[in-house]
Amino acid sequence: MLTKSNFSFNIFILGLVLMLISDVQSIDIIEKNANLVHVSRTGATVSQCTWEVNIKAKNFPFKSITTSGIPDTFYYGDFIIIISQLSSQIQQSPVAVIYDVNDQSEIVDFGEYICIDTPISTNFVSNFNGNLIAYNKKVPVTTSLGIISDTSSDYQITGLSTIGFFTLSSSTLLPPLSSIVSFRYSYPSGSPTQTTDLRVISGNLVRNFAITNPIPNFASDSFPTLLSYQDHSLYNSFMMNVSDPSGKALTMSFVKSPTSSFNEFFILPVYGNPTSPVYIGYKKFSFDPSLEITQDVCAVGVGNVVQLKSITYKAPSIASGTTSNLELFIKGSEYILTFQTFIPEKRFDYYKIGDLAHMNTITNTWSNYPYGFSGGNYQNFTWTKSLFIPKYKLNGNIQIATDVSKVYPYNTPADQTPLINKIEIKSFPNGNILLRLNATCGLSGLKSFSYFKEPIIASDLVLDSGSWSIYEKVFEVSKYAFTPSFFKLTNNYGSDSSISSSTNFTPNAGPKMTLNDIQSISFKENNVDLSNGGVWNTIYLQTKAEFLVDNTYFIPFKFISTTEILNDFINEDMQWDALYYNITEEKFMFSFYMPARLFTGSVNYALFIQGFILDPSMLSSLFSTANLQVVSSSADEMAPIVENITILRGEVLPNNTQTIGWRIQILDPLNGLESGNLTINSDIDYLGYKFTFGPCDSIDPYQGIYEFNITLDNNSCKTQTYSIKELTLRDTSGHFSNSTVSTKGQYPITHPFINTDNSQVTIICQ
């Protein structure tokens, strides 16, 4: 029997249930799409498809999704984006089930995507040319070629046969039908062969392609020989003169690390011609100074490896500071910190503020000179620094470092995880773009938003509502050729959030053109004679018509003519140029300057297509006219260097002043000096004296003599030693030398003092 009290209780329970049900948030799917990433076959027949699915839903407490892998989830404003992999059988569509934290589920059916039997093929397009080319100023270790399938993307590059020189490094699919195949140069052993077999598999089809290596076939009387060798043990380099009767030798430098694995390293022809080249090579100084390094220079030919020179050396040893020299003083409020250190031999490197995983603030002490230097001299000094500690910082630390470091922790209040609300991109006719970010960063504020190589920072703020902020920044073409795989937002507390750049639900400024869309690549001038002067040239790229309607579309490009540009290229610091569509020519095009006397042979350039940097070897395998070649009867790619240096010391004048100076002869025998910069300082006067000079300051730009003088007042004399702090030189073809290049990195930059010492003069007060 239902009593009144029981009835009331049941009504109460029913009400609670209805309240709970009403509080359960439904999973509201806004957009979805799928991309086929792989097919599984039984013989030649497709049995299963693997898809990458992208789901955009209104924000909800996500728990899981049925998947064949680990899903990625990103929060974007009021939405959650889910990226996952699903499988479906032949003639079926992928289906996902999404669960929230209350185990409420939502079925997501991708009915418009059906697993079908796709064709198989191991054929490439008819213009494929399997000849790798060797070009000057290439990045060591790898070279590549490009392949485009005739009908199907369902193929794999599985391996190749080789004898002692080339090995397959990787293959990367560029949808819909293209691949980049990279090869690794290894130390030549045995008898290197002219060809390498590349194996391609599609379904039950297997085919081998013969890939021709860029190595010559030496006649028995045409082996290269070493004529002379000059070691620059202090300056990261060596020079060697080689006789090559064939004019075709592939001369390479290999570094044998302490683990006995050979890796190709930098060596560049700088003088002469193919039969009588002069090379400059660079040493690898990234090892422990106690370990011995062996570096071999070889001329590689079919069936022969000629070892021209074997070099043994150790990385330079650099004196270290010690943590016992570091002291820390807390002064003032809890957010101000002062530290002081006494450092011998100029070895204070940097300090960092942040958590150990995100210490992005690095300051070199010398950049603040004379501020902070509270005692001592250039060799042994005391350095004091007071700085503000961020109020909000995750696991805060300050790290002070010489070659060793000391870390001091501090505590700050917590802050929220930042949120990306919206990303917008606006294109301009000149190729520049405007990036607009709407973000919520918490009390600590925005630190950075990494979308392109140059991030958005706090100073890019244009509107602050209190709960969200808008930041805007205009990027030049050179700043956004590289689009990262994740867009990352970080606040000053140190917490961050990110979103994939591959999702279809956020804007992406990366180029849309694919390798399949390119119909031809060519140059206005080829086999260019640079023996007597530079030449303006033009690159042309023809593509399908759908890219011609957008006058803001561009293709990043760079002609790599000097080792300075190569160095920037390796360090991802290169300023890109760009091809734009020309209505008259009906092609994308860009005009660039080729400086005089580049070494004979194929030259280096880069195109940025479909998210990848494509080199001349790769492009030439698809377009025979993409191989740009030059000729010089007598090349000069050597940067200017100091031939000799003389110390000048004037007499003491009646007013008790004295002039000291340096007479420097600078050698650049064919191109001639274009400009130079010199800084002279002492162990006391760190700022010193700066000089800018050029060929007009000497009667001979090719082996000119230049004088630099400073006047000292002996009435206020302090005993000190003056020396050249920095010398940078550039010739008329853009080749650059720098006396302050690090010996710890892989920098192909010539040192100007390889033939002489950086002379010092000591002033002793009487």
Side-chain angles (χ1 to χ4, degrees), residues 180 210 218 228 231 250-251 281 295 453 615 624 671 677 716 748 753:
I180 298 176
F218 296 139
S228 63
D231 187 77
L250 185 60
T251 301
Q295 188 163 342
K453 183 172 173 56
D615 65 15
S624 59
N671 291 328
N677 292 280
S716 57
F753 291 110

Side-chain angles (χ1 to χ4, degrees), residues 393 415-418 440-448 489-496:
K393 195 67 183 176
D415 196 9
Q416 71 178 76
T417 299
T440 300
C441 297
L443 295 173
S444 62
L446 178 138
K447 180 178 182 182
S448 66
L489 174 67
T490 306
N491 63 14
N492 285 308
Y493 177 62
S495 57
D496 55 62

Side-chain angles (χ1 to χ4, degrees), residues 513-703:
M513 184 181 296
T514 71
L515 195 57
N516 293 73
D517 298 318
I518 301 175
Q519 297 172 327
S520 69
I521 296 174
S522 61
F523 295 89
K524 182 179 181 180
E525 305 286 343
N526 213 324
N527 297 308
V528 185
D529 191 340
L530 299 174
S531 301
N532 299 312
V535 171
W536 279 95
N537 204 348
T538 303
I539 181 173
Y540 299 100
L541 187 148
Q542 192 164 13
T543 186
K544 296 179 180 178
E546 56 261 34
F547 292 97
L548 310 183
V549 298
D550 184 1
N551 65 353
T552 66
Y553 194 83
F554 64 93
I555 303 168
F557 164 82
K558 192 67 176 183
F559 180 58
I560 303 176
S561 59
T562 68
T563 52
E564 183 181 15
I565 298 176
L566 177 62
N567 187 38
D568 291 340
F569 176 76
I570 293 169
N571 293 301
E572 298 186 4
D573 198 31
M574 187 171 72
Q575 299 294 301
W576 288 82
D577 300 312
L579 283 68
Y580 291 94
Y581 186 71
N582 183 285
I583 298 177
T584 304
E585 296 286 344
E586 296 183 340
K587 297 176 181 178
F588 285 87
M589 58 184 289
F590 176 74
S591 294
F592 60 97
Y593 185 71
M594 305 179 69
R597 288 172 282 277
L598 297 181
F599 198 86
T600 297
S602 299
V603 292
N604 191 7
Y605 66 91
L607 279 171
F608 191 77
I609 302 290
Q610 210 169 341
F612 288 87
I613 298 173
L614 308 183
D615 65 15
S617 180
M618 184 269 171
L619 293 167
S620 299
S621 63
L622 296 174
F623 312 101
S624 59
T625 52
N627 182 12
L628 179 58
Q629 295 185 305
V630 301
V631 176
S632 294
S633 57
S634 184
D636 181 5
E637 293 199 41
M638 184 67 180
I641 57 175
V642 174
E643 181 66 12
N644 59 68
I645 185 168
T646 303
I647 293 296
L648 307 175
R649 187 190 293 267
E651 296 181 356
V652 178
L653 299 178
N655 62 355
N656 207 21
T657 62
Q658 183 181 16
T659 297
I660 62 171
W662 287 256
R663 180 182 292 127
I664 303 175
Q665 184 178 23
I666 296 173
L667 183 67
D668 198 276
L670 296 178
N671 291 328
L673 182 73
E674 187 271 336
S675 63
N677 292 280
L678 175 71
T679 301
I680 294 171
N681 67 357
S682 76
D683 52 346
I684 293 177
D685 182 5
Y686 182 77
L687 292 179
Y689 304 83
K690 299 180 185 297
F691 302 88
T692 298
F693 59 97
C696 294
D697 297 306
S698 174
I699 60 174
D700 186 353
Y702 303 102
Q703 48 184 359

Side-chain angles (χ1 to χ4, degrees), residues 18 26 207 242-243 328 372 377 384 417 422 477 553 663 680:
L18 291 174
S26 62
R207 186 177 179 188
V242 175
S243 173
L328 189 69
N377 56 33
T384 303
T417 299
K422 190 175 183 180
V477 56
Y553 194 83
R663 180 182 292 127
I680 294 171

